[in-house]
Amino acid sequence: KAGVTQTPRYLIKTRGQQVTLSCSPISGHRSVSWYQQTPGQGLQFLFEYFSETQRNKGNFPGRFSGRQFSNSRSEMNVSTLELGDSALYLCASSLAPTSSIYFGEGSWLTVV
Amino acid sequence: DQQVKQNSPSLSVQEGRISILNCDYTNSMFDYFLWYKKYPAEGPTFLISISSIKDKNEDGRFTVFLNKSAKHLSLHIVPSQPGDSAVYFCAASSQGNLIFGKGTKLSVKP
């Protein structure tokens, strides 16, 4: 069974640009959540989607947004990139919102 | 304010000995706790979990203890192996919302 797949794995963007990251959950999983990992802050919750609806949202500015499609695939978008947005962005999927979550390998974003 | 705290950023243990990783939380509404292990350049992988109605859960070399009155949980790894060297994240859940600690880097020396 394929795991959680995230694309792209690595990318470099310039300040002010926007970026879209993609996540394909494990087959059959309908819940997708996104996390940001930085050395100083550890793993921080961004948002969670279930059945195309955002269920929970972390404490991030409105520049961070996401969506989920009918096939459970999810995208997250960061607009007007700042240097501090450089981080590993992790996607996780689960059967349902309260089930154990399984992470992808993440997308490394560097903002220069 | 951090709801889930891992106060030790790093821990070094000799191979074969016990590793004890600690985690404190502040929100009494948390009802489910998990530990994840993360190797460099990889996503975290689920290790072990415990429901708030239990005080201990064991899976092979890994045991998680929960002390609700102290709002404290710990992960014991016995015996520790060099392959256990990784960053360990504690996470707490309330109504599906998962909050992570900042992680503890465990180094197991041969």
Side-chain angles (χ1 to χ4, degrees):
Chain A
K1 199 177 194 179
V4 178
T5 306
Q6 291 187 246
T7 57
R9 289 295 317 280
Y10 305 93
L11 67 167
I12 300 174
K13 290 285 188 177
T14 306
R15 266 187 311 174
Q17 286 187 311
Q18 67 94 26
V19 66
T20 299
L21 307 177
S22 180
C23 173
S24 293
I26 292 172
S27 177
H29 285 195
R30 295 171 60 196
S31 180
V32 173
S33 50
W34 288 88
Y35 299 82
Q36 182 197 63
Q37 186 185 2
T38 58
Q41 296 298 321
L43 267 172
Q44 290 187 285
F45 171 73
L46 278 157
F47 27 65
E48 180 192 16
Y49 289 87
F50 180 70
S51 294
E52 301 177 67
T53 302
Q54 188 180 86
R55 286 190 72 249
N56 284 303
K57 191 176 191 305
N59 190 24
F60 278 80
R63 300 185 296 109
F64 291 80
S65 62
R67 58 179 176 167
Q68 186 180 33
F69 302 97
S70 58
N71 60 0
S72 294
R73 192 176 68 84
S74 177
E75 288 181 348
M76 70 161 279
N77 185 77
V78 188
S79 62
T80 321
L81 284 166
E82 300 176 0
L83 295 178
D85 296 333
S86 296
L88 174 66
Y89 289 88
L90 290 158
C91 168
S93 77
S94 62
L95 281 169
T98 55
S99 305
S100 293
I101 63 174
Y102 298 86
F103 284 89
E105 292 186 320
S107 294
W108 286 95
L109 170 65
T110 301
V111 182
V112 297
Chain B
D1 186 32
Q2 269 189 284
Q3 295 189 61
V4 178
K5 294 181 185 179
Q6 293 177 258
N7 292 319
S8 299
S10 63
L11 174 68
S12 184
V13 170
Q14 205 67 32
E15 180 180 6
R17 308 296 286 267
I18 184 172
S19 294
I20 300 176
L21 299 122
N22 293 304
C23 179
D24 297 295
Y25 62 96
T26 57
N27 188 346
S28 57
M29 297 301 291
F30 289 139
D31 55 9
Y32 198 63
F33 303 88
L34 309 93
W35 284 94
Y36 284 82
K37 179 169 75 171
K38 186 182 183 303
Y39 294 116
E42 294 183 13
T45 55
F46 171 74
L47 201 54
I48 192 169
S49 63
I50 188 167
S51 163
S52 61
I53 62 173
K54 292 188 171 184
D55 54 18
K56 177 182 174 182
N57 188 26
E58 192 173 349
D59 183 4
R61 296 186 298 114
F62 303 91
T63 303
V64 56
F65 295 92
L66 175 63
N67 182 336
K68 279 196 298 183
S69 60
K71 294 193 178 69
H72 176 84
L73 69 154
S74 60
L75 173 68
H76 292 210
I77 307 174
V78 182
S80 301
Q81 300 172 353
D84 296 330
S85 297
V87 177
Y88 289 78
F89 290 97
C90 161
S93 172
S94 171
Q95 298 178 324
N97 193 1
L98 208 56
I99 309 291
F100 284 86
K102 289 190 178 182
T104 297
K105 184 176 181 180
L106 173 65
S107 300
V108 180
K109 302 192 182 309

